[in-house]
Amino acid sequence: MKIYALVLAGGQGRRMGGADKGLALWQGKALIDHVIARIQPQVGHIAISANRNLEEYARRSAHVFSDARQWQQLGPLAALCTAANDLQLAAADWLLIVACDMPRLPQDLVARFLAVAKRTPLCNAFYVETPVRQHYGVMFIRPQILQSAVPYLYAGMRTIRGWLQQQRARAVNFDSDADFANYNTSEDLEIQQEERI
């Protein structure tokens, strides 16, 4: 079974003063390096969606792409619409999609998604739910459904949550909310850094 991953690193980093969030340092390494280290043993291939510093991201994966021109600056759905036309991702059986700012992702993330997917073979999309909240940005999908993100975005809708609901996505329960913490600001990085000291 081919399980691929797509790391979303194309945001504008507004809450980090415009910095490229994926390359922001945490514990001496770029956030995206932590994410890749977590998911690499779980998947067969990693692609990165990025809209700047492409050469820097290409050092981490040969499969880097930017949002297509017609969807630029329309949020994470722009990356999904662009990925819908990526032949390499289309060859996967399942696609794990994660953000570049979640350095503590669980090491059994794919295994847990797969276990639920096997029990519900008619479902094509799953996302994470913890006791605290839903994490729609961490999803496990059949790549074929990415095509449906295009009319969704053209209709003026922007949220991943709404698109997943349209796909009748199911929640997969995880115990620890901390595993899915995302670091959106410089303060987040500093607080987490201090907690580790």
Side-chain angles (χ1 to χ4, degrees):
M1 185 178 289
K2 291 183 183 177
I3 300 170
Y4 292 173
L6 172 61
V7 182
L8 303 181
Q12 296 176 40
R14 289 192 188 98
R15 285 179 281 182
M16 276 196 182
D20 191 333
K21 196 160 45 170
L23 300 177
L25 295 180
W26 182 64
Q27 296 182 8
K29 288 197 311 189
L31 278 175
I32 194 167
D33 290 333
H34 291 279
V35 173
I36 288 172
R38 288 284 178 150
I39 65 172
Q40 199 154 36
Q42 305 183 55
V43 300
H45 175 80
I46 296 175
I48 300 172
S49 164
N51 289 312
R52 50 186 165 155
N53 298 313
L54 300 184
E55 288 182 9
E56 190 65 33
Y57 284 114
R59 290 170 54 193
R60 292 154 168 92
S61 169
H63 191 175
V64 178
F65 61 86
S66 300
D67 295 342
R69 187 176 302 153
Q70 65 267 37
W71 298 308
Q72 283 177 1
Q73 300 187 8
L74 293 179
L77 278 167
L80 301 194
C81 289
T82 305
N85 295 314
D86 189 297
L87 295 178
Q88 198 167 355
L89 294 181
D93 295 297
W94 288 100
L95 182 62
L96 173 71
I97 300 177
V98 299
C100 66
D101 60 356
M102 291 184 159
R104 295 177 170 178
L105 290 167
Q107 291 165 337
D108 63 347
L109 181 60
V110 167
R112 298 274 294 276
F113 272 134
L114 265 181
V116 177
K118 285 175 182 173
R119 292 198 302 269
T120 52
L122 297 180
C123 188
N124 294 317
F126 302 89
Y127 62 89
V128 166
E129 183 174 61
T130 65
V132 178
R133 66 188 189 95
Q134 291 82 25
H135 296 270
Y136 297 106
V138 182
M139 63 191 106
F140 193 67
I141 66 168
R142 296 280 190 189
Q144 292 77 14
I145 69 169
L146 286 170
Q147 292 292 344
S148 68
V150 176
Y152 179 85
L153 194 60
Y154 273 135
M157 292 176 279
R158 298 279 182 270
T159 69
I160 284 185
R161 174 185 177 179
W163 176 69
L164 283 171
Q165 286 174 340
Q166 203 177 70
Q167 304 310 309
R168 298 181 179 175
R170 294 192 177 199
V172 176
N173 296 309
F174 288 80
D175 297 329
S176 172
D177 198 63
D179 288 349
F180 301 96
N182 58 334
Y183 302 164
N184 282 311
T185 67
S186 302
E187 290 75 22
D188 288 343
L189 290 172
E190 287 167 16
I191 290 167
Q192 296 299 331
Q193 198 89 333
E194 287 167 7
E195 285 179 0
R196 299 284 291 202
I197 293 170

